[in-house]
Amino acid sequence: MGEVTLKDIRLEEYGLEELDGIRELRDGMLREPVHICTERAWYITEYMKEHGEEEMEEHPVLYRARAVARYLGNKKAVIPDGNLLAGTTGAYLKSAPVYPEFIGLTIWSELETISGRKKNPQLLTKEDAERLNFDIYPYWIDRDVLASTKKKHGNIMPIRLLEKMIFYVSSKAGCISHTVPDFKRVLAQGAEAIIREAEEKAEGSIREEKEFYQAVATVLKGLLKYAENLSEEARRLAGEEKDEKRREQLLEMAKVCRAVPANPASGFREAVNCIWLCLIGIHAENINMAISPGRLDQVLYPYYKKDMEEGTLTVKEAMELIACLWIKTGDNVDLVPQVSEELFGGAGTAPAVTVGGVDEEGKDAVNDLTYLMLRVTELLKMREPNMNARYYPGRNTIEYRNRVSEVIASTKAVPAFYNDIENIKTLVNQGTLEEHARDYAVIGCVELASAGRSYDASSSIIMNLTAAFEMALYNGKRYITGEEQFGPKTGEPEKMENFEQFLEAFKTQTAWLIDQAVDLNEKMAKIHQKMLPTPLLSALFEGPMEKGKDLVFGGAVYNSSGATHVGFADVADSLNAVKKAVFEEHYCTFGELIDAVRHNFENQDKLLAYVKNKPLKYGTAEETENGISREIIRFLYETYQGYTNYRGGKYRPAYWTMTNHSGQGKITYALPNGRKANLPFASGITPVSEAAADLTECFRSVGALNSLYIPGGEALNIKFTNIASREEAALLGSFIEGYFKSGGQQVQFNIMSHEMLRDAKAHPEKYPDLLVRVSGYSAYFNDLNDTMKDELITRTEYDIHGGRMVPDYV
Amino acid sequence: MHKEPLIFDISKGRLDDGEGIRTAVFLKGCPLRCTWCHNPESGSFAYDFMWDGSKCLLCGDCAAVCPRGLIGFDGEKLYLDKAYCDGCGKCTMSCPGGALRQIGRKYPEEELMELLLRDRVFYEASNGGVTFSGGEPLCFPEFVGKIAKRLKEQGISAAVETCGFFEYEDVQEMVLPYIDCVLYDIKIMDRQEHIKHTGVSNEKILHNFRRLSKENTDIRLIPRTPLVPGITDTEKNLRDIRRFLAENGKLSAHVLLPYHSGGIRKRELLRTGIDRDCPINI
Amino acid sequence: MYKIMEEETLALKNFRLELLDEELEGTNLTGELLAENLLQKYYPVRQALEKTLLNCIDGHMIGNVMEVLLNLMGLVLRLDKKYRRNIENFDAVYAFTDKAGDFYIAAIFRNNTLSVSRKKVDNPTFTLIFKDNEALVKLLFSGAPDILNAMLNQEVDFEGNINYMSKFGYMAMHLVLELTGGMVFA
């Protein structure tokens, strides 16, 4: 049960200037360029060269622990700025560590130019470039996940489809990540106790279990060594430090690193730094793609409360520590080749923090820390962490809801809102115990986890639904790949006699594509099991220690795989268009429609106008009633849930798109819904731009999609011209209440007009840190490529007063 | 008195038509002709047409589909004779680009109720409801009262936006029992000025306001003044309005509405006469 | 457009990687003085190749680009010890062909050296199929070899382990960057 004792939940007396040194830390982190860090890759590769091959065969989990522990034990203890918390993910203030097991080799050809490339440069020293080229990459050239999969299975269709890049993305090639760890145990007991428990359990078990426990002990010891090194470094720096205040801070840091994570956290500061050090450990083991800290307002609350009651902590100090943690979460980004800017543009690592909602008993869990964290987010306005607010209509207060709305209005972008009622419901439907479902946290972008208990691999598949649609249109081919046959031959649409036949063709292509993607996911999973067990992450989880099983082998309490979709709205509208134009009103023949599409509607103004205006459009009440969108959602759900993954869990469909909707849209030709060639798709589960002219209808239509069929999470992007006053923010809260009551699961906002975004595109220097919501995560507008900027500019914009979209008069 | 109104818009999710989130029903027809009106299509009680040249493809489908042959198309120009239009809407439905739009249609009661009830969750979340507007909704007290009564039975608040030019007795009997809020425009106090800028005198308007404020204390009465530059926003006019409101004990509820120029574009689209330069003449 | 001197053209005309190999046979490659001599002797050839390559990148005579690149790469691999480190213990066969199948050239990395073949080689480690020469030049030399983007735009296709293309891209780019002085480091 949460308790709120603050007199002012807005904490207005604490601005950025009142928090000591935070503005400098924030600006410093924002201005800091990204440095590619080869330290991790170096140590792990060296270990692999020395022992790796044989050990991997004999001790798959233990070898990994040893390699990671070698790195952690030797990792440079760096204290690069005035942050109160100790520890850095890489060797710099802001690092892009190299993970050659995954996609670290994709920048090989860019090594000597990446430091100066125009979009998103990442700094690499000459020395490190040579290390990578001569020492590290050659070892991994045949050994990374994708290469290993290919070597084992040959050039099978699922791999061919992946490498074409326009059918689906299989994120196992890129990561083991996307989860919410458990910090409660390490905070309460300390890592040394976990090590002891692991060692005892190792004694009492045999074979794989024994090895797992040994691995846990080994890798955690590596983490403790790192903490020790940090402590020494802090003490050393304190010895040289002339400024009294900074000296005190460094000595405190040294003390904290000696205490945690080895021992139970004795107070708020230790708890916060413990979590950060554990995250560093997790990043050491595997790439950070949405490793999400979770419900920090709940996890940290006992420590906050204790210190506040004892008088050893003030609100100001607590806010400073939270701000320091927030800033730290931005200290690592993913190493990206240029093409990432197309599909995952501007993304940081999307570490999601979730506040609010209800506790395991279903009671209002909002507490003082919730408001402190919201205030810090409001003040910092940074991309990391990816802030999310859970709301339970009827159990969380209206004040809380409206306060979150105010923060959205003032940051213009964050947090995103999550509906506890629907999200808990869909998790329970997936077999989660009710109390565990109530304890859900967001995996950045928008996916749902039972915090610290479920391993959801939520980005396992990023399915391009428009690929399946095109294959239905072109009898198993895609426009851009010409005559190459990919999917099954589902028939020539020109010869089809009714809509059901075409719908069946679409479903067949989709089911086939899903089958390929699932097959690849399962095959890559086996590679992960062989190469990349995760003993450190497993130690910070409920389930593995009890079962004696690493997460990749199904050690978590709950298991699933997530599959998200690109182009849902465009496909729904295109199916609706085919139905109306060809089969209901006989406005044209199917052949004529396909011909128009193949020629990008050239000289077909009338047909283009017709398909843009007359067929049913997802996001309107008529479409919800009579259109295809709900049927597609249900079809996808039933198809995915027919599969069981390698960990015994189900596949869960989701609807978020990062910037895939822009990148894939760019290479997709025209579609029957009137979308012209090479334009972005709608993002996430959002209706096509300007298709849903009515705000409340948009909300109700999305809400009507039935959350039971969307267990993987969704991203609804709503753009408002402006929300200026507290009254307007409260009304925003009312809209969200209505949307949630209509069944909606998630919503996120951009509070900015077409004009302002155009201005920001033309004059980036006027908007240095403009934060925008893309599709499930936040990005700095200036980091995005032009295509993505245009997609944001042309998104449906609503005027909150009029309830209707503001047409984009260019 | 007209019985069944034409409705020219049903707009949802609105914040400025009373408390909370509201659906506004716009009835066609108004006894006033305010020079600044931002819904110029609301003046006439009969069907109107709007045509957007930027969307017209000059395809002639509208001419082909009109059952009464009221639209002529010679390949370059369109001629629409709306005098005999019965509002079937086929021309609007046939227009691929959405260029030609019939303004105003009849709504069967059940269809209207279904539309109004759609946003119930939003009304409940915000103390919102339905607002009758237009034109002048109180030209149709029987209709407004009928719908408001049904809304009240459903527990949904009904409000009315009015210019004040209505028959008090009819409204009192048929409408007032079912609404909880009246948003009442007080535009111009000076009689001559009022006639000049709205076409009618303001005696009835002021008289109705006095009666409403005195006799119906359980209905929220909110006087509103649109601030039209140079016309209503003069010092003298505002002072006089304030005095009038104070006399009726309603000064504290007074709301000033910023002027918005949406009417300008609408006037461009509204086709009401012959324009030799334009490809369409109505 | 870089002008190629007469003597350079002549030297290039008479140049074969195999001839260079004969000269290197029995020679101690690590002997710096000997390598110095060879560097001087083959300077005009190298100049010719480099200038031609740069011209190709600028859009002239790109029909030749693969051949020029591989010859230059082969030459530098033989003369430059540090560059040769790239192919230490590296055995791979790259096949380059256009979509129509009209063009074919193979690069064979074996025994710490590179040889070039116009005849089809069996079981190449990696095959790059490019839409046309423009696509190829864009892929290899437009700032940063970005095969993933080229894939997304369907300008190239490939068979084999994509890391091999990345490596080759690095080696190709390295040569060009040395010429243009375009290397950037932190």
Side-chain angles (χ1 to χ4, degrees), chain A residues 149 152-162 168-170 172 460-461 463 510-527 561 563 640 643-646 651:
Chain A
T149 310
K152 186 170 172 191
H153 297 285
N155 203 18
I156 52 174
M157 177 62 94
I159 293 180
R160 271 177 53 210
L161 292 170
L162 171 67
Y168 50 73
V169 176
S170 184
K172 279 189 164 54
S460 294
I461 297 172
M463 172 61 63
T510 305
W512 175 80
L513 205 53
I514 289 173
D515 199 52
Q516 305 300 311
V518 167
D519 185 29
L520 184 57
N521 188 51
E522 295 293 317
K523 289 182 156 72
M524 283 192 168
K526 291 283 184 291
I527 300 289
S561 292
Y640 280 106
Y643 294 96
T644 303
N645 76 11
Y646 59 104
Y651 281 81

Side-chain angles (χ1 to χ4, degrees), chain B:
Chain B
M1 183 170 55
H2 310 259
K3 284 293 183 93
E4 200 189 337
L6 298 182
I7 292 172
F8 69 90
D9 196 6
I10 299 176
S11 173
K12 306 200 288 289
R14 298 170 71 94
L15 301 184
D16 298 327
D17 297 291
E19 197 188 343
I21 300 170
R22 306 192 79 88
T23 299
V25 184
F26 290 88
L27 275 59
K28 212 170 182 302
C30 185
L32 272 59
R33 286 290 181 276
C34 306
T35 50
W36 63 79
C37 180
H38 62 264
N39 287 324
E41 72 273 32
S42 65
S44 141
F45 289 89
Y47 295 106
D48 270 310
F49 287 87
M50 276 191 177
W51 177 79
D52 187 344
S54 66
K55 296 178 178 169
C56 178
L57 299 169
L58 284 174
C59 67
D61 275 12
C62 51
V65 90
C66 175
R68 293 188 169 189
L70 300 174
I71 306 180
F73 179 56
D74 64 4
E76 280 177 7
K77 286 189 182 284
L78 281 163
Y79 307 87
L80 195 162
D81 187 353
K82 72 170 183 171
Y84 294 98
C85 173
D86 70 351
C88 73
K90 289 201 165 77
C91 56
T92 302
M93 282 191 285
S94 78
C95 177
L100 181 65
R101 282 196 305 129
Q102 173 189 313
I103 306 299
R105 59 160 275 216
K106 296 202 173 104
Y107 276 83
E109 193 176 319
E110 291 315 309
E111 185 187 340
L112 181 60
M113 283 307 295
E114 192 268 317
L115 280 167
L116 297 180
L117 290 174
R118 278 185 188 175
D119 274 11
R120 184 192 271 276
V121 283
F122 295 98
Y123 308 152
E124 283 166 0
S126 64
N127 274 334
V130 174
T131 300
F132 295 91
S133 184
E136 176 46 62
L138 295 178
C139 288
F140 302 91
E142 193 183 325
F143 175 84
V144 171
K146 179 175 66 168
I147 304 296
K149 178 168 186 229
R150 285 190 68 176
L151 289 170
K152 188 165 178 171
E153 283 160 10
Q154 296 273 350
I156 292 176
S157 141
V160 172
E161 280 174 348
T162 180
C163 69
F165 198 96
F166 55 79
E167 298 309 316
Y168 195 93
E169 257 72 32
D170 292 333
V171 171
Q172 182 180 50
E173 182 197 326
M174 293 191 253
V175 178
L176 295 185
Y178 310 112
I179 60 170
D180 49 50
C181 176
V182 177
L183 301 142
Y184 202 112
D185 269 12
I186 304 285
K187 305 184 217 280
I188 298 172
M189 289 306 293
D190 180 279
R191 201 170 141 268
Q192 290 307 324
E193 287 295 300
H194 198 277
I195 294 172
K196 178 172 166 200
H197 293 287
T198 73
V200 305
S201 172
N202 61 358
E203 274 124 3
K204 191 189 287 203
I205 293 170
L206 298 176
H207 175 71
N208 282 342
F209 186 89
R210 284 191 201 97
R211 277 194 76 175
L212 203 50
S213 66
K214 208 177 350 174
E215 297 176 19
N216 289 279
T217 47
D218 52 344
I219 294 180
R220 277 182 73 196
L221 177 56
I222 300 175
R224 305 199 307 182
T225 304
L227 293 171
V228 184
I231 305 178
T232 64
D233 73 344
T234 64
E235 248 192 73
K236 178 175 189 309
N237 188 42
L238 291 175
R239 205 175 45 229
D240 292 344
I241 291 176
R242 282 198 285 271
R243 190 183 311 128
F244 171 75
L245 293 178
E247 284 163 13
N248 290 282
K250 290 291 173 195
L251 182 57
S252 59
H254 191 204
V255 173
L256 297 172
L257 296 173
Y259 171 67
H260 80 77
S261 54
I264 296 174
R265 172 118 179 97
K266 276 197 178 178
R267 252 174 270 276
E268 284 168 17
L269 301 179
L270 189 63
R271 299 278 141 211
T272 51
I274 304 290
D275 174 355
R276 297 204 187 287
D277 298 325
C278 169
I280 187 169
N281 281 297
I282 295 176

